[in-house]
Amino acid sequence: MLRLLLQKVLLLLLLLPILNAGAFYYALTFAPGDTIYIRGQPVERPAPPPFLPLYRTYVQRVLRGDFGEIQNFPVTQRIAQPLKNSLVLLVAALAVATVLGPLLGLISISPQTNRMRPAAQVLLTAGSAVPGFFLGSLLIAFVLYTARQAWFPGRGPLIPVQGFGLDSHLILPVLTLAVRPTVYVAHMTASLLENELQQGYMQVARSKGLRWRRLVWHHAFPNVISPLITIVGQSLRLMISGLILVEALFDWPGIGRLLTLVVTNPDVRAQGSSFRGYFLEPELLAMITVVLGILLLLADLLAAVLAYVADPRLRRTTHTNT
Amino acid sequence: MKLAKQNYPLYLGSVLSLMLVALAIAGPHLAPRDPVQVMETLTLNGVSYGPPPFRAVPPFFVATYPLGVDLIGRDVLSRLLWAVRPTLILCIVIVLVRVAVGTLFGLIAGWVGGATARVIEGLRSLCIAIPMLAFAIAGILWLRRVENVGAFVIALTLTGWCDTAALIKNQTQTVRHMPYIESARAIGLRPTAVLWRHVLPQFGPVLPVLVAFELTAVTLLVAELGYLGYFVGGGFVYQDPFVNVYVLTGAYPELGQMLSQVFAQLYRTPWVPIFAGMIVVLQLTAFALLGEGLRHRLDVTRPRAARRWRRWSPDRTFYS
């Protein structure tokens, strides 16, 4: 257990400088491919600054604790608030996926709920086939349509469609973010439980006359919980990747939106504001990449540790080859 | 536990996938109009419809434009029929490259083991540590110099080979210690020959499922990228010579392009992303069902209903 933890932490510490350097290099040497014409004149592009000297000074500053400044604000301060906003979304979506996912999976295979099974299976298939942003756009369009047609006169849009807020502003973004991971977890729970419920010991337990609830929760579920934790960790990574899209769609000031602002050319930015201040700032991009990398690898680490803790079978055999 | 008698996901999934492939092949021939031709102004009941700044023709309104027109007045039905082909080809190419690269890395990691496997695991962790969408955006922006489709393929493959590699590595490790591999080496087969003849065919059952699920993931990524504004095919600015109207839009019909600029299209032509999204949902459903059905079919540990044995199976003739 300690060895697994140590391995993963070492990997984390090894990868972070690579991510940092890669993002710094990208920000410094990126040049848009096509020639951009503004009002008919091609835009003159300056030569990219040399990477190594700049990176060396950056690393020296980081080792002294100064992560750089952007527009007279320290980078850490600039990232802190969006990070918190994103974490709100992630925690809410994770709660939804962890609670609803296994429930939906259980419903879709349990013989107690035979009448619900076709509906649950259709829901699972539909849920894994609908892209999150499509569902989000449909919901936004629907809410705006009800407001425009004044179905509820005098009230305007029922649910706020965009913007940040810790109240009902949370509904649509969390829904959009959580749909695919929930359905993924439900699929995996269904297949794992199905596999588990056909084992020999389940047949013995059933012939003993135990009730369904005890069969599932006391006998089958503990064997399933360890792969399930790994799967919830994977779905957390899916969610972090989906943050970019959800924040762009719902104008949620989070770290995904910050990343989009830094990486996309403000001249041809498709969605989002025309704010040009952060485009390709090296320190900001490096910091964001490192933070996202930490989040993702921590999710991986946490899932591995929790799976190890939850399943005694994993503690018997030690990790031999990665 | 009641077992499903028929493998509905497999049937439904393969029917839908075949429909999509047929649409990709025959779509452009079925399109009633040219997908890049801007419509002429027409007047109905005193209201003028046409390219901006006129109003847009809504769907199911006029017989000649069954699904309405898009942002600058091109027929949506023709664009949809034309658009399935490039998107499908792009997705298939990306999946093939991903699976190939992942298989290669997985084979190397599983077969050689030791330090090489650790290096590949480290690379895999690096790929896990970068959100796929962010990397795809960065990669596409970086590689736009090269070529559009190539940029897409490279950007989506560079971090996408992880899952395939993990699966193939596990399988290779299981197979490596089998006696027949040892005897193959003992009679003098070179490692590459052993891999090609004995190890690779073992991945046969697992590969269709993998490809189906990868198709789902890649279609989703391509749709998301299209939504954010990165799609194959150029863009241009449509200008009306008489009125001051400038609209940035895509030229070549592609599903990602039709899904993009949702908010720009929301008040003028909201049905375009909805129709394009429905085709994407169809594609995703087809591939997801196919993957699910194949997984059911090829999983040997599931209890099956008794099947009729073939009359000339070897053990029956032996004992008859």
Side-chain angles (χ1 to χ4, degrees):
Chain A
M1 154 86 159
L2 215 54
R3 194 180 153 158
L4 174 71
L5 204 60
L6 207 61
Q7 255 181 356
K8 289 213 182 260
V9 168
L10 274 182
L11 201 60
L12 187 89
L13 290 176
L14 183 64
L15 287 178
L16 289 183
I18 298 180
L19 283 175
N20 201 354
F24 208 86
Y25 180 73
Y26 179 88
L28 278 184
T29 57
F30 173 74
D34 315 322
T35 330
I36 299 183
Y37 293 89
I38 295 188
R39 293 190 194 87
Q41 262 89 38
V43 171
E44 171 82 26
R45 225 172 286 119
F51 168 65
L52 276 179
L54 275 176
Y55 195 59
R56 200 181 316 140
T57 40
Y58 173 67
V59 169
Q60 284 167 352
R61 281 215 318 258
V62 163
L63 289 176
R64 266 188 275 127
D66 169 26
F67 281 100
E69 272 192 3
I70 172 167
Q71 295 182 348
N72 300 324
F73 278 107
V75 168
T76 40
Q77 195 183 3
R78 188 62 193 88
I79 293 190
Q81 187 57 37
L83 190 60
K84 281 186 237 171
N85 299 342
S86 290
L87 280 177
V88 165
L89 268 189
L90 280 176
V91 164
L94 189 67
V96 168
T98 320
V99 168
L100 278 188
L103 268 179
L104 201 57
L106 189 58
I107 289 178
S108 76
I109 63 163
S110 156
Q112 310 288 91
T113 54
N114 256 335
R115 260 187 232 130
M116 274 202 267
R117 192 191 297 202
Q121 281 181 339
V122 163
L123 195 66
L124 277 188
T125 313
S128 68
V130 169
F133 64 90
F134 186 57
L135 188 68
S137 330
L138 280 181
L139 285 173
I140 289 183
F142 181 67
V143 169
L144 288 177
Y145 180 74
T146 54
R148 194 165 134 185
Q149 305 289 95
W151 283 7
F152 301 93
R155 278 210 51 189
L158 282 181
I159 318 175
V161 286
Q162 273 193 341
F164 174 70
L166 286 177
D167 46 357
S168 54
H169 285 263
L170 269 176
I171 300 179
L172 283 182
V174 169
L175 198 71
T176 313
L177 192 58
V179 159
R180 282 194 72 88
T182 312
V183 168
Y184 177 59
V185 171
H187 253 305
M188 289 291 143
T189 319
S191 78
L192 282 172
L193 266 182
E194 204 171 12
N195 210 14
E196 229 19 70
L197 290 167
Q198 284 156 6
Q199 301 284 342
Y201 68 90
M202 290 302 299
Q203 212 173 17
V204 170
R206 220 172 315 159
S207 47
K208 276 203 289 186
L210 294 179
R211 285 188 325 170
W212 173 254
R213 211 170 284 189
R214 186 160 172 87
L215 276 181
V216 170
W217 294 112
H218 194 251
H219 289 279
F221 213 71
N223 290 322
V224 155
I225 213 169
S226 156
L228 209 57
I229 292 180
T230 319
I231 284 164
V232 168
Q234 271 181 1
S235 74
L236 183 61
R237 290 211 306 267
L238 272 179
M239 271 188 244
I240 296 180
S241 305
L243 259 189
I244 300 174
L245 211 56
V246 167
E247 289 179 4
L249 183 58
F250 292 101
D251 198 25
W252 188 271
I255 209 164
R257 190 150 155 271
L258 197 57
L259 188 63
T260 326
L261 283 179
V262 175
V263 167
T264 55
N265 194 344
D267 292 321
V268 292
R269 208 173 265 155
Q271 311 267 352
S273 61
S274 51
F275 178 63
R276 328 171 66 90
Y278 294 160
F279 181 49
L280 287 187
E281 287 283 336
E283 289 129 7
L284 192 57
L285 187 62
M287 194 70 191
I288 295 178
T289 317
V290 163
V291 163
L292 278 176
I294 291 181
L295 270 179
L296 287 166
L297 289 174
L298 262 185
D300 196 28
L301 189 96
L302 207 63
V305 166
L306 280 177
Y308 195 88
V309 161
D311 196 346
R313 295 179 293 181
L314 291 179
R315 294 178 219 158
R316 270 191 292 123
T317 58
T318 51
H319 254 240
T320 49
N321 178 24
T322 46
Chain B
M1 179 121 355
K2 208 167 76 142
L3 299 165
K5 294 205 179 47
Q6 304 285 350
N7 199 349
Y8 288 119
L10 185 59
Y11 298 155
L12 209 56
S14 25
V15 161
L16 281 177
S17 307
L18 284 176
M19 241 172 62
L20 270 175
V21 170
L23 205 62
I25 296 178
H29 297 293
L30 294 172
R33 308 165 152 268
D34 191 2
V36 295
Q37 191 183 24
V38 177
M39 71 179 289
E40 316 273 321
T41 339
L42 59 97
T43 314
L44 272 170
N45 302 333
V47 183
S48 310
Y49 297 96
F54 295 104
R55 298 176 88 176
V57 180
F60 314 124
F61 195 65
V62 176
T64 40
Y65 297 101
L67 289 181
V69 296
D70 84 336
L71 194 59
I72 62 170
R74 298 172 290 201
D75 179 23
V76 167
L77 181 64
S78 320
R79 280 187 83 80
L80 274 181
L81 286 174
W82 273 80
V84 175
R85 186 194 280 184
T87 321
L88 201 60
I89 293 181
L90 185 71
C91 293
I92 290 179
V93 165
I94 293 178
V95 164
L96 286 178
V97 174
R98 262 189 178 193
V99 167
V101 170
T103 313
L104 190 69
F105 275 109
L107 271 180
I108 296 177
W111 184 259
V112 174
T116 325
R118 267 197 282 271
V119 164
I120 294 186
E121 271 301 305
L123 275 180
R124 240 195 54 153
S125 297
L126 187 64
C127 293
I128 292 178
I130 309 177
M132 178 120 37
L133 196 59
F135 187 80
I137 295 176
I140 288 173
L141 286 176
W142 180 280
L143 292 168
R144 265 278 165 86
R145 291 176 245 190
V146 181
E147 190 195 306
N148 266 332
V149 174
F152 257 79
V153 172
I154 295 179
L156 282 172
T157 312
L158 274 178
T159 42
W161 52 270
C162 318
D163 300 320
T164 324
L167 195 69
I168 301 282
K169 184 187 117 159
N170 284 335
Q171 290 230 313
T172 317
Q173 273 180 339
T174 330
V175 165
R176 191 168 77 142
H177 302 292
M178 290 276 166
Y180 55 86
I181 300 285
E182 202 182 319
S183 50
R185 293 282 281 143
I187 60 174
L189 273 181
R190 277 174 292 122
T192 33
V194 173
L195 280 175
W196 183 252
R197 301 179 82 189
H198 294 286
V199 178
L200 264 186
Q202 303 250 351
F203 303 143
V206 114
L207 224 45
V209 185
L210 192 65
V211 166
F213 283 128
E214 282 276 318
L215 273 171
T216 323
V218 166
T219 310
L220 193 64
L221 270 176
V222 165
E224 283 176 358
L225 283 171
Y227 169 77
L228 285 175
Y230 306 99
F231 43 83
V232 182
F236 67 99
V237 176
Y238 170 81
Q239 304 174 13
D240 192 308
F242 300 112
V243 190
N244 230 7
V245 161
Y246 296 95
V247 177
L248 176 67
T249 182
Y252 194 75
E254 211 254 331
L255 280 180
Q257 182 267 324
M258 295 173 80
L259 276 172
S260 72
Q261 296 186 314
V262 169
F263 289 111
Q265 302 192 42
L266 197 62
Y267 288 106
R268 185 176 158 77
T269 53
W271 51 85
V272 176
I274 294 181
F275 287 136
M278 291 203 297
I279 300 273
V280 171
V281 167
L282 189 72
Q283 207 168 342
L284 285 173
T285 324
F287 295 142
L289 283 176
L290 194 64
E292 191 63 32
L294 281 172
R295 198 174 58 83
H296 276 228
R297 179 70 177 252
L298 297 168
D299 186 7
V300 296
T301 61
R302 286 173 64 90
R304 296 157 186 265
R307 294 198 321 202
R308 249 187 15 197
W309 289 98
R310 289 178 300 191
R311 242 175 255 159
W312 45 85
S313 84
D315 35 274
R316 264 196 79 119
T317 51
F318 186 71
Y319 285 121
S320 59

